[in-house]
Amino acid sequence: MRQFLILFSVISLSLFSSDKLGKLPVYKIAVEAISQTEDNIALRDFIKEQIHSTSRGMVSLPLKGTDTKVWEFDKEGNPSPKTIESLQNLAGTDKLILVSTEDGQAVISFVDVLHQKLEYRNSLPESLSKTLVSDFLGFLDKKNIYLALSETGTGSNSQLKINSLKPTYVAGEPIRFEIESTEDNYVYVVLVPENQKGEPVLLFPNQIQNDNFVRKGDKVTIPDKRISFKAASSPSKDRIRAFASREEWKEFQLRGKKEDSFYRLLPPAVTGTKTTARSMVMVTNSLTAPIEQTPVMEWEYQILSR
């Protein structure tokens, strides 16, 4: 069971119009070949086209002097001092994709530029480079869902109310609150951690409360009293985001391990759903649309150390 600590000065309700976003929440991505060989450039261009054609990200212009920069990471994904210098020079870029072919292997690395961390690295024989790209795109779909859950703008037309959420908690104290819907809705409640390297957690529905259709006037305690959800000991600023949808989010898969209380919200590609190249473009373009188009309310609150 994972524990979470939520730190903020006062309880508040943030109101932002999703119309102000003007676009799907996606990352600004630079795709670069580690060395300018013919095979590396071909793999780089193929990945760029896949990301651009499916709207998985905003592909930035080629970087200058990429082949002379140092890209080194340890087993934990931490960059070397010279790599940190290279990352600090990447202005206006959220993520960096590095591709290379080494000893007959195609390699894809995905770097969080802001937090200077290697998030993904995988390799396959060059003959299976398209399979490698497909695996990476599934990973990117997952990241885009997390981004949409985190950044979709809230609006005053939300049909949800929250009760019993205290202004402050202490470390280790159970966190439990009540959601009320003013209309018949499918309700999705997500914990978004302050640490962007963490993943949003789907608090509702969960493995105990797997029916998330809430009728008008009904009140649901989240999480169920059979589930332990406590504040952890390390300070952080986290958010509770509640989405009210007239339609079920059928584009996504709910997945959780037996030992976990909470689900993960995943794209079909991550859970092994087969798609053709043509359908992949159509599905991906609308993958995060249900999240972006669903009214959402957000609450922030404070946990104090003991």
Side-chain angles (χ1 to χ4, degrees), residues 111-125:
V111 183
D112 184 329
V113 175
L114 177 62
H115 296 92
Q116 300 178 352
K117 188 78 172 181
L118 179 67
E119 296 185 296
Y120 171 99
R121 180 179 172 87
N122 197 11
S123 63
L124 284 175

Side-chain angles (χ1 to χ4, degrees), residues 110 126 130 139 187 200 236 268:
F110 187 70
E126 288 185 57
K130 289 187 177 181
F139 169 82
V187 177
S236 65

Side-chain angles (χ1 to χ4, degrees), residues 28 38 159 164 233 239 252 260 291 301:
K28 296 177 182 178
E38 184 177 346
Q159 299 169 355
S164 305
S233 57
R239 296 171 288 157
F252 306 108
D260 293 335
I291 297 175
Y301 50 97

Side-chain angles (χ1 to χ4, degrees), residues 5-122:
L5 183 106
I6 307 166
L7 178 65
F8 198 67
S9 56
V10 292
I11 187 167
S12 62
L13 174 64
S14 302
L15 296 178
F16 302 97
S17 171
S18 57
D19 296 336
K20 294 180 181 179
L21 293 178
K23 61 180 179 63
L24 285 173
V26 292
Y27 293 108
K28 296 177 182 178
I29 301 175
V31 187
E32 299 299 329
I34 290 181
S35 61
Q36 300 297 303
T37 66
E38 184 177 346
D39 289 340
N40 286 354
I41 293 174
L43 180 58
R44 178 201 66 187
D45 291 346
F46 179 68
I47 293 175
K48 290 175 69 172
E49 172 57 28
Q50 290 297 307
I51 293 174
H52 175 73
S53 64
T54 57
S55 301
R56 281 180 163 97
M58 297 176 61
V59 180
S60 65
L61 295 174
L63 305 175
K64 296 181 179 180
T66 304
D67 53 346
T68 62
K69 296 182 183 297
V70 176
W71 307 110
E72 297 174 340
F73 299 87
D74 62 20
K75 292 181 179 180
E76 285 71 41
N78 299 309
S80 68
K82 290 185 177 180
T83 299
I84 291 176
E85 291 181 11
S86 298
L87 292 174
Q88 290 174 340
N89 292 327
L90 300 181
T93 300
D94 302 318
K95 307 289 182 179
L96 171 65
I97 300 173
L98 297 169
V99 301
S100 64
T101 52
E102 306 169 3
D103 300 325
Q105 296 281 313
V107 184
I108 298 177
S109 301
F110 187 70
V111 183
D112 184 329
V113 175
L114 177 62
H115 296 92
Q116 300 178 352
K117 188 78 172 181
L118 179 67
E119 296 185 296
Y120 171 99
R121 180 179 172 87
N122 197 11

Side-chain angles (χ1 to χ4, degrees), residues 24 77 93 103 119 131 136 162 176 189 212 226 229 263 266:
L24 285 173
T93 300
D103 300 325
E119 296 185 296
T131 301
F136 169 71
I162 192 169
R176 189 166 283 111
V189 182
N212 65 320
R226 292 169 288 178
F229 175 48
Y263 286 127
L266 301 174

